[in-house]
């Protein structure tokens, strides 16, 4: 069943129309209601934008859709395509106003990623999919980001603008079109450029579109919204989607003082408020909230930090994903040694909280988390990351 979310912003592009909105539009042309669902499915399920290819529509309707350019086409184009040795693909896409974002296609490794739940693996196996055929797409929700987290390349230039729901969904349609015949897009994560919950209306509409059973039909549990911790919008997401959309929190520090020094959002929504909000997130049984924790050498990698993290998460259905910090240009910050990362993980596990270490994927194309920065068309960084004066 598609989600019906109250107060969704009105569609601004044909790509944003839900089946019932297509029906209303086509009713103005005297068409029966079911035509709306047919057009929606051609676009979102099959990725077809040419009315001439919509073979179950009558010829007169195909002709009118084409004449009036009613479908509008994709609001973006690929301007650069990188493929890493591990088959991770990074696409630089450009919108009509010349602004760019990146989106990344990440194939699951042959041995299943530790983050993948057993019931997800079972449904992949039931569909005859090898783990290596399952692809996760990381998408962007804004150009730049207003949150200013000091370890993140995406936020360096500040917010340029929000993306529309059409621009968000178009990244997925375009990404899916890049897959090989043996690959399937199964997971979408809002972990690219931008704070998705700062662009709530467009992201909520995109979530409804991406999970609609007449469209792409992604399972809500396989769509993850990753946020720096905007408490009112997490509550709104919980209410609008009954807690079914997977949630990831960029936590990265366990005291308000430390977290505020690397994530300014913490000054507005401190840890106590954030954790209380996670406790009331109406998660379905057996699901957990992912806690993203970027390990920064000398900043947040002390054994006492691991103990404090365990204490902080008491009562939250959570799993911790440790991300050894990726190097970013002009930054003094870096990851602890491999042993140090494993010791930190073991300490969390000893406290009774599941913890995994995120593998570096696609780092030869700068596609790892926090590295979706702005590039110029020649491949040079358009904006330099600043030096980061973080002290413990
Ligand atoms: S980590 Fe997320 S919220 Fe923080 S600056 Fe980067 S993109 Fe924005």
């Amino acid at each position: 069943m598609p989600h019906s979310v109250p107060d969704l912003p009105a569609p601004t592009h044909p790509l944003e129309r839900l089946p019932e909105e297509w029906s209303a539009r086509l009713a103005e042309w005297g068409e029966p209601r079911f035509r709306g669902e047919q057009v929606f499915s051609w676009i979102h399920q099959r990725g077809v934008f040419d009315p001439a290819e919509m073979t179950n529509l009558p010829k007169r309707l195909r002709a009118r859709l084409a004449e009036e350019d009613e479908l509008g086409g994709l609001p973006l184009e690929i301007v650069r395509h990188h493929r890493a040795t591990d088959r991770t693909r990074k696409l630089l896409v450009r919108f009509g106003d010349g602004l760019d974002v990146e989106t990344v296609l990440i194939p699951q490794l042959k041995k299943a990623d530790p983050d993948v739940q057993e019931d997800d693996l079972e449904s992949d196996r039931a569909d005859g999919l090898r783990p290596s055929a399952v692809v996760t797409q990381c998408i962007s929700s804004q150009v730049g980001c207003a949150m200013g987290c000091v370890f993140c390349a995406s936020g360096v230039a500040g917010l340029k603008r929000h993306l529309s729901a059409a621009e968000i969904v178009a990244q997925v349609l375009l990404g899916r079109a890049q897959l090989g015949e043996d690959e399937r897009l199964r997971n979408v994560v809002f972990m690219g450029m931008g704070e998705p919950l700062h662009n709530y209306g467009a992201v909520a509409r995109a979530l409804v579109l991406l999970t609609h059973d007449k469209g792409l039909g992604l399972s809500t549990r396989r769509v993850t919204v990753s946020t720096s911790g905007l408490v009112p919008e997490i509550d709104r997401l919980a209410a609008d989607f009954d807690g079914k959309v997977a949630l990831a929190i960029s936590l990265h520090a366990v005291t308000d003082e430390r977290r505020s020094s690397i994530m300014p959002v913490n000054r507005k929504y401190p840890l106590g408020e954030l954790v209380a909000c996670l406790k009331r997130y109406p998660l379905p049984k057996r699901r957990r909230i992912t806690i993203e924790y970027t390990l920064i050498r000398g900043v947040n990698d002390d054994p006492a930090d691991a103990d404090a993290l365990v204490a902080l998460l008491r009562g939250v259905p959570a799993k911790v994903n440790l991300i050894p910090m990726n190097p970013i240009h002009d930054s003094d910050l870096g990851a602890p040694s491999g042993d140090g990362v494993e010791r930190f993980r073991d300490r969390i596990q000893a406290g009774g909280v599941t913890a995994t270490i995120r593998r570096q994927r696609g780092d030869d194309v700068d596609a790892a988390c926090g590295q979706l920065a702005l590039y110029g068309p020649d491949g040079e960084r358009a904006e330099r990351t600043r030096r980061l004066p973080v002290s413990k």
Side-chain angles (χ1 to χ4, degrees):
M1 278 289 288
H3 282 278
S4 82
V5 172
D7 305 324
L8 268 190
T12 56
H13 184 283
L15 195 54
E16 297 179 357
R17 286 181 197 151
L18 291 161
E20 56 274 24
E21 290 162 341
W22 269 110
S23 295
R25 171 67 181 134
L26 297 183
E28 293 168 20
W29 298 358
E31 296 292 338
R33 292 201 67 77
F34 67 90
R35 296 282 178 225
E37 191 173 296
Q38 287 177 319
V39 173
F40 179 83
S41 289
W42 276 111
I43 297 170
H44 291 270
Q45 206 168 60
R46 306 206 206 180
V48 169
F49 283 87
D50 181 357
E53 291 176 34
M54 299 183 174
T55 48
N56 59 356
L57 302 185
K59 271 193 182 151
R60 57 172 164 71
L61 177 55
R62 285 186 255 165
R64 186 156 183 196
L65 286 167
E67 256 168 48
E68 306 209 8
D69 193 20
E70 187 63 26
L71 272 61
L74 284 176
L76 78 189
E77 57 174 349
I78 299 176
V79 290
R80 202 148 55 87
H81 191 156
H82 270 304
R83 193 182 170 100
T85 45
D86 64 5
R87 292 196 302 131
T88 295
R89 281 144 282 177
K90 182 168 78 166
L91 311 176
L92 180 73
V93 296
R94 180 159 300 160
F95 303 109
D97 59 4
L99 291 174
D100 301 335
V101 297
E102 288 157 345
T103 177
V104 188
L105 295 161
I106 309 160
Q108 199 165 282
L109 290 178
K110 283 202 180 69
K111 197 165 164 296
D113 287 338
D115 272 1
V116 176
Q117 306 264 344
E118 190 50 40
D119 44 1
D120 290 342
L121 289 175
E122 262 171 39
S123 81
D124 291 341
R125 277 194 292 267
D127 289 350
L129 287 175
R130 289 171 293 109
S132 58
V134 175
V135 174
T136 295
Q137 184 172 8
C138 174
I139 58 173
S140 297
S141 55
Q142 298 176 314
V143 184
C145 182
M147 297 296 128
C149 306
V150 300
F151 51 83
C152 174
S154 297
V156 166
L159 178 66
K160 295 204 168 158
R161 72 169 171 87
H162 295 305
L163 296 189
S164 67
E167 290 168 333
I168 295 170
V169 169
Q171 292 172 62
V172 180
L173 295 177
L174 202 65
R176 186 181 56 168
Q178 306 304 309
L179 299 183
E181 274 185 14
D182 62 336
E183 291 180 308
R184 294 284 182 288
L185 180 67
R186 297 305 284 262
N187 307 290
V188 167
V189 295
F190 283 80
M191 291 186 183
M193 191 179 282
E195 161 56 69
L197 296 186
H198 185 210
N199 185 16
Y200 188 86
V203 167
R205 183 171 271 278
L207 288 170
V208 175
L209 289 162
L210 294 172
T211 58
H212 201 290
D213 54 6
K214 301 295 178 198
L216 258 143
L218 289 168
S219 160
T220 38
R221 68 166 197 267
R222 291 189 182 244
V223 180
T224 302
V225 169
S226 176
T227 175
S228 58
L230 299 180
V231 168
E233 285 75 18
I234 297 173
D235 284 336
R236 193 171 165 195
L237 185 77
D240 284 350
F241 293 91
D242 306 324
K244 291 197 176 105
V245 171
L247 188 66
I249 303 294
S250 292
L251 195 77
H252 308 309
V254 289
T255 65
D256 280 323
E257 191 188 354
R258 181 84 44 76
R259 191 163 190 264
S260 295
S261 78
I262 58 175
M263 300 183 71
V265 66
N266 194 71
R267 290 178 208 138
K268 194 158 183 195
Y269 304 112
L271 283 167
E273 274 187 46
L274 178 57
V275 169
C277 155
L278 300 185
K279 284 181 181 163
R280 60 180 178 258
Y281 194 79
L283 214 56
K285 274 192 192 130
R286 294 173 54 227
R287 312 296 309 177
R288 285 177 293 180
I289 295 169
T290 302
I291 302 295
E292 307 280 1
Y293 192 95
T294 297
L295 269 171
I296 311 172
R297 185 181 57 243
V299 173
N300 64 0
D301 63 338
D302 196 271
D305 292 318
D307 296 342
L309 182 56
V310 168
L312 188 69
L313 294 178
R314 200 154 288 135
V316 179
K319 58 183 176 182
V320 174
N321 195 13
L322 296 172
I323 308 158
M325 188 184 166
N326 296 311
I328 56 175
H329 293 242
D330 271 0
S331 166
D332 301 327
L333 303 180
S337 67
D339 281 358
V341 173
E342 285 178 15
R343 276 198 300 276
F344 198 89
R345 176 202 56 198
D346 294 347
R347 188 111 179 173
I348 295 171
Q349 304 250 57
V353 177
T354 302
T356 53
I357 299 170
R358 183 182 292 173
R359 274 184 292 270
Q360 298 281 83
R361 306 296 309 278
D363 46 339
D364 54 338
V365 293
D366 265 11
C369 181
Q371 293 193 327
L372 292 184
L374 301 172
Y375 280 80
D378 55 357
E380 290 301 312
R381 290 211 181 237
E383 319 263 350
R384 303 275 291 170
T385 51
R386 64 191 162 195
R387 280 194 108 66
L388 303 170
V390 175
S391 58
K392 199 162 182 182

